[in-house]
Amino acid sequence: MIEVRDLRKGFGDVEVLKGLNTTFEKGKTNLIIGQSGSGKTVFIKSMLGLFRPDSGKILYDGVCYSDLDFEDQRDIREKIGMVFQGSALFDSMTVEENIMFPLRMFTKMKKNEMLERTNTVIDRVNLENANHRLPSEISGGMQKRVAIARAIVNNPKYLFCDEPNSGLDPHTATVIDNLIKEITEEYNITTIINTHDMNSVMEIGEKIIFLKKGHLAWEGDKSQIFKTDNEEVTNFVYSSNLFKMVRKAQNAKI
Amino acid sequence: MIKETFVKPTKGKVLRILIFKEIDDLIIGSLGIVAFISFFVGGVVAIQTALNLTNPIIPKELIGFASRQSVILEFAPTFLSIIMAGKVGSFITSSIGTMRVTEQIDALEVMGINSLNYLVFPKIVAMCFYPFVIAIAMFLGILGAYVAAVYGGFTTADQFLTGLRDDFIPFHIVYAFLKTFIFSFLLATIPSYHGFYMRGGALEVGKASTTSFVWTSVAIIVTNYFITQMLLS
Ligand SMILES: Nc1ncnc2c1ncn2[C@@H]1O[C@H](COP(=O)(O)OP(=O)(O)O)[C@@H](O)[C@H]1O
Ligand SMILES: [Mg+2]
């Protein structure tokens, strides 16, 4: 479980996160939704310590991240997996080396133990025949699988995903979304996913928080999001024609 | 930034691999161009000196002497370092910059790695071998001068070699390598800085490389001026 208390973060004069309070639950896919530029990436990176928050607290299972020194932060980082928006694979390393990298950094495993663990997660994310290829030689969907494999190889307790299905075709996007959800339930991880994609919300949204210009404008679950009368949320949800048509069809039935 | 580079180090084994890779990229990868440029510019220095020696009172030995002085004092250490600011420097800026914009640096940080140490320290260590590159450049520059002067018919081999040994001051070698060593540090750190702290996308990576080239060259030229002022005058 991750708790966020009054988190604020700005760059220069611009305040991007304006005091966020929320809780992300364990074993669930927690979604952060909102338009581009609403502060989703800054939110995730502030939780990870990649940006230093201006004020506020982040509690990882009750432990405050920003109160710790570098060594103790490392113990928490070891339990964090992150899937970056563009996958962020190391382009000079092969797929296998990329996935093995966190093990090399965090554990004292022997080479063959690392390889075994690596191959287990490679199977888990259904990556076939790619071990010795470079990231530039595989498709975007496969790169995402590698990024997920790298994020979960060290058995994380917390998994962060920044727009995991951006740039993927709708089918692959759904497959990736469901892969993340299955892994979350299987390993009982606290998973946090950034997205602006309503399909993901339909597919895997268990807990959803809606960011609007750095404010937490709404929170709830998948069934509530289609019933709420919060205008900002409905504007976002029904911004695509597909969802407008679904709504029309539903209203016609009633 | 420099301080951060040397603390919280990465695992020794990993670091060693990174250092070897940087030596390969930055040092071995530069040998070809350095050899090519040194040999031919050394030759040009000899020819220019010869062509300007119209006064019969000045001995032909001056060709060897002048080639040695200009190659060792300025051409190899300074001129080549500016070329390296273009080659090695923009390579460093664009490779670190690309890692920044594609969030690879964030990925390192999430894994608890001190990314400055991981990325910059191996480059600084690799560049400690840079003076060897310059030694080769000095040798080939003088060889180029010899070939151009002797086979171009401007002087005899004896005259050239006598000139080469004339008035040799060992401190000039110390001076040349001392400044080379300082340049190698500038060549590793300034481009790293420009890559590491950039923001934006592919276009900005290109801009950062250009900026880094300009600042590295400026730093080399200014440093060269002050070192020369301090040590030789
Ligand atoms: N490193 C930074 N420096 C300054 N401003 C930033 C930085 N990162 C993000 N921002 C600004 O913060 C705002 C939110 O960005 P972001 O979190 O990336 O939005 P998104 O919801 O699309 O992920 C944007 O206006 C962006 O310009
Ligand atoms: Mg974003």
Side-chain angles (χ1 to χ4, degrees):
Chain A
M1 188 174 74
I2 301 174
E3 291 158 82
V4 179
R5 301 226 182 110
D6 200 33
L7 178 67
R8 288 173 190 277
K9 174 68 191 167
F11 299 97
D13 295 339
V14 192
E15 191 163 42
V16 178
L17 304 178
K18 298 163 186 161
L20 300 177
N21 286 289
T22 190
T23 306
F24 299 106
E25 284 155 52
K26 193 172 180 171
K28 279 193 179 177
T29 44
N30 300 276
L31 264 57
I32 303 171
I33 62 172
Q35 289 172 359
S36 295
S38 55
K40 303 185 295 293
T41 302
V42 174
F43 186 18
I44 278 200
K45 289 191 175 174
S46 301
M47 284 194 269
L48 288 168
L50 291 172
F51 289 139
R52 185 192 294 269
D54 297 336
S55 68
K57 281 192 188 307
I58 316 289
L59 302 167
Y60 283 86
D61 289 313
V63 180
C64 180
Y65 185 80
S66 52
D67 285 352
L68 302 173
D69 59 21
F70 184 80
E71 286 302 315
D72 291 330
Q73 282 185 352
R74 208 182 136 89
D75 293 341
I76 292 187
R77 286 193 171 174
E78 193 173 342
K79 292 286 147 219
I80 292 177
M82 167 83 190
V83 178
F84 286 90
Q85 184 162 4
S87 295
L89 303 177
F90 303 120
D91 34 39
S92 59
M93 298 182 195
T94 63
V95 164
E96 190 176 273
E97 288 165 344
N98 261 287
I99 299 173
M100 212 190 298
F101 193 78
L103 297 179
R104 268 170 54 201
M105 287 298 142
F106 283 121
T107 72
K108 293 195 164 60
M109 283 188 189
K110 295 211 180 61
K111 184 87 195 263
N112 56 346
E113 289 171 323
M114 288 198 281
L115 267 178
E116 198 183 308
R117 175 70 194 150
T118 303
N119 281 315
T120 311
V121 288
I122 285 179
D123 284 344
R124 183 62 196 82
V125 299
N126 302 317
L127 255 181
E128 276 156 20
N129 303 322
N131 285 35
H132 301 292
R133 289 208 252 163
L134 290 171
S136 56
E137 297 167 349
I138 58 177
S139 69
M142 278 168 97
Q143 288 176 1
K144 274 283 145 55
R145 288 175 201 268
V146 178
I148 294 172
R150 185 176 70 181
I152 62 169
V153 72
N154 199 23
N155 285 317
K157 281 161 78 179
Y158 319 98
L159 179 63
F160 292 81
C161 309
D162 195 1
E163 315 240 356
N165 51 22
S166 69
L168 301 180
D169 64 85
H171 175 71
T172 314
T174 309
V175 173
I176 294 288
D177 276 344
N178 281 304
L179 177 65
I180 295 172
K181 183 161 192 282
E182 286 160 25
I183 288 170
T184 301
E185 286 164 5
E186 229 171 280
Y187 303 107
N188 200 19
I189 305 175
T190 308
T191 298
I192 298 173
I193 303 168
N194 268 354
T195 183
H196 58 231
D197 180 4
M198 277 309 293
N199 289 317
S200 300
V201 174
M202 295 290 287
E203 203 72 40
I204 58 169
E206 291 185 285
K207 162 156 185 169
I208 301 162
I209 73 170
F210 177 72
L211 276 194
K212 173 97 185 179
K213 292 184 183 145
H215 288 289
L216 201 159
W218 182 85
E219 79 187 285
D221 67 22
K222 180 162 71 180
S223 60
Q224 291 164 333
I225 200 168
F226 296 102
K227 293 185 196 133
T228 175
D229 42 22
N230 182 320
E231 204 174 323
E232 285 170 339
V233 178
T234 41
N235 283 343
F236 179 80
V237 171
Y238 297 109
S239 53
S240 91
N241 276 330
L242 178 63
F243 282 89
K244 275 182 200 144
M245 275 155 66
V246 172
R247 177 168 60 177
K248 219 189 262 168
Q250 272 178 343
N251 288 346
K253 256 191 269 169
I254 302 163
Chain B
M1 166 187 145
I2 304 289
K3 185 172 151 261
E4 190 73 5
T5 304
F6 289 93
V7 295
K8 299 172 201 154
T10 315
K11 277 188 181 177
K13 215 168 103 189
V14 178
L15 213 50
R16 202 160 58 231
I17 297 171
L18 291 171
I19 290 172
F20 280 123
K21 188 174 173 315
E22 298 296 352
I23 291 177
D24 193 33
D25 281 343
L26 304 181
I27 301 291
I28 312 283
S30 305
L31 287 178
I33 179 101
V34 166
F36 176 78
I37 295 177
S38 314
F39 186 80
F40 284 98
V41 175
V44 169
V45 169
I47 295 172
Q48 294 283 15
T49 316
L51 291 180
N52 285 300
L53 277 186
T54 43
N55 189 336
I57 303 170
I58 304 176
K60 290 278 186 226
E61 279 80 5
L62 187 70
I63 299 173
F65 175 79
S67 307
R68 181 196 80 207
Q69 289 301 78
S70 47
V71 166
I72 289 182
L73 291 180
E74 290 307 326
F75 165 71
T78 313
F79 183 80
L80 273 179
S81 292
I82 288 170
I83 291 176
M84 287 300 112
K87 186 184 182 293
V88 171
S90 56
F91 173 77
I92 291 177
T93 306
S94 58
S95 61
I96 297 184
T98 304
M99 291 188 72
R100 168 63 75 199
V101 303
T102 58
E103 298 180 304
Q104 291 177 53
I105 293 182
D106 287 333
L108 289 171
E109 294 276 333
V110 166
M111 295 178 208
I113 294 163
N114 173 2
S115 52
L116 270 173
N117 173 266
Y118 184 91
L119 294 172
V120 181
F121 180 73
K123 293 185 171 60
I124 294 179
V125 175
M127 285 307 278
C128 289
F129 291 90
Y130 179 65
F132 290 107
V133 176
I134 295 306
I136 294 173
M138 288 174 179
F139 174 75
L140 288 175
I142 291 173
L143 184 70
Y146 177 86
V147 170
V150 176
Y151 296 97
F154 296 105
T155 166
T156 65
D158 268 351
Q159 279 172 329
F160 187 89
L161 293 176
T162 313
L164 200 59
R165 286 191 223 105
D166 246 12
D167 279 333
F168 179 71
I169 304 170
F171 183 70
H172 282 176
I173 301 277
V174 176
Y175 154 82
F177 278 104
L178 189 74
K179 69 181 188 180
T180 303
F181 194 76
I182 296 173
F183 295 161
S184 67
F185 189 72
L186 297 177
L187 282 171
T189 49
I190 298 177
S192 295
Y193 173 86
H194 281 96
F196 195 85
Y197 291 105
M198 65 157 298
R199 286 208 300 124
L203 187 65
E204 282 78 10
V205 174
K207 281 187 192 150
S209 304
T210 319
T211 320
S212 121
F213 170 67
V214 172
W215 283 113
T216 313
S217 322
V218 169
I220 287 173
I221 298 212
V222 172
T223 312
N224 186 40
Y225 176 83
F226 284 108
I227 295 181
T228 309
Q229 175 78 25
M230 277 190 315
L231 296 183
L232 292 191
S233 67

